[in-house]
Amino acid sequence: MGQCKSCNASPANEVEGVHQFNVSLSRAADESLGVELDFMDMVTGRVIELDDKGAIAKAGMGLKRGDHILAVNGASTALRIMKRLKEDEEIDILVERPMEFRIDLVKGAEGVGLDLSHAPRGDTLLIRNLTSKGAIQEWNEKKKSVAQVKRLDRIVEVNSIRGKAAELLAELKSQDKLTIIISPGPRTMEEDMQPHGVPAEYVA
């Protein structure tokens, strides 16, 4: 059965908009971790679901939906994280928990101004790029120092709707007045991204 060795560990880092911490887990060779991850950003695994019968839940590690796994046993980026989660019995995980913020928009002729994507079973919309015009660009120009919407941030709620990514996208397209909750993207270097060969979702 999974055992959490450092569930009460001190935070690894505190920076604007995020909270990072480490947890360690020991599991049996044939024991499932019981976690489903969204790797749409090609670098980190965002927690979509946790199985209460998996090693992570049994160990009481404190992981939550929406957390990002940044590294496992020192290995970062998507493919290396997947390999370590699949093969290792002693697991040390660097986790980032974003601090969500709210924005209020009214769509104009240029629309929202975002290039979005999502995992098949995901519950967020990943911001792949921002266009040079649109409601988001106008928001960012007004909020020069705080609450900036950036590439690789995620939309987690639209007009009080949370859940399936398709529902968020439908609300975003159908309404002009929008209240959006943003989950900031993980603090990883863009050059670490692996653009090819990374599945959108992964179950360990």
Side-chain angles (χ1 to χ4, degrees):
M1 179 180 295
Q3 291 184 317
C4 183
K5 294 183 177 181
S6 58
C7 293
N8 297 316
S10 298
N13 191 20
E14 292 281 359
V15 294
E16 178 189 355
V18 297
H19 166 56
Q20 292 183 358
F21 57 97
N22 289 88
V23 291
S24 298
L25 172 70
S26 178
R27 62 162 173 180
D30 60 347
E31 188 174 15
S32 169
L33 289 173
V35 62
E36 183 174 354
L37 302 172
D38 170 344
F39 277 101
M40 287 299 295
D41 66 12
M42 307 295 178
V43 180
T44 70
R46 182 182 172 95
V47 178
I48 302 175
E49 293 288 349
L50 287 166
D51 184 348
D52 59 11
K53 296 180 181 179
I56 287 177
K58 289 178 181 177
M61 292 177 63
L63 280 183
K64 298 179 180 180
R65 291 179 62 181
D67 285 348
H68 285 263
I69 294 178
L70 303 186
V72 178
N73 291 344
S76 60
T77 70
L79 294 178
R80 296 185 184 101
I81 289 173
M82 292 178 196
K83 182 177 176 65
R84 298 277 64 82
L85 291 176
K86 180 180 180 180
E87 298 179 358
D88 295 355
E89 296 176 26
E90 301 289 331
I91 300 173
D92 182 73
I93 303 175
L94 175 60
V95 181
E96 180 169 301
R97 181 165 294 161
M99 296 176 62
E100 298 175 355
F101 63 91
R102 167 181 163 172
I103 64 174
D104 296 291
L105 307 174
V106 177
K107 282 193 295 186
E110 302 293 340
V112 178
L114 294 175
D115 175 15
L116 301 168
S117 184
H118 63 84
R121 284 175 28 85
D123 56 2
T124 70
L125 298 174
L126 177 71
I127 299 175
R128 294 191 300 190
N129 282 298
L130 286 72
T131 63
S132 59
K133 297 180 180 180
I136 292 292
Q137 183 64 28
E138 292 176 4
W139 170 273
N140 281 346
E141 289 173 356
K142 293 177 182 177
K143 304 288 182 178
K144 293 293 186 182
S145 60
V146 295
Q148 288 267 309
V149 180
K150 301 176 182 178
R151 182 174 180 270
L152 300 184
D153 286 353
R154 291 174 184 256
I155 295 174
V156 298
E157 180 180 311
V158 181
N159 292 345
S160 300
I161 295 174
R162 285 194 184 233
K164 295 181 180 179
E167 295 174 354
L168 299 178
L169 189 58
E171 184 70 10
L172 203 62
K173 289 180 176 180
S174 65
Q175 302 298 317
D176 290 332
K177 189 175 181 180
L178 300 166
T179 295
I180 300 172
I181 305 298
I182 300 290
S183 177
R187 300 298 174 130
T188 53
M189 297 299 291
E190 192 161 318
E191 56 263 30
D192 287 337
M193 294 189 67
Q194 297 183 31
H196 304 292
V198 179
E201 297 176 4
Y202 180 76
V203 178

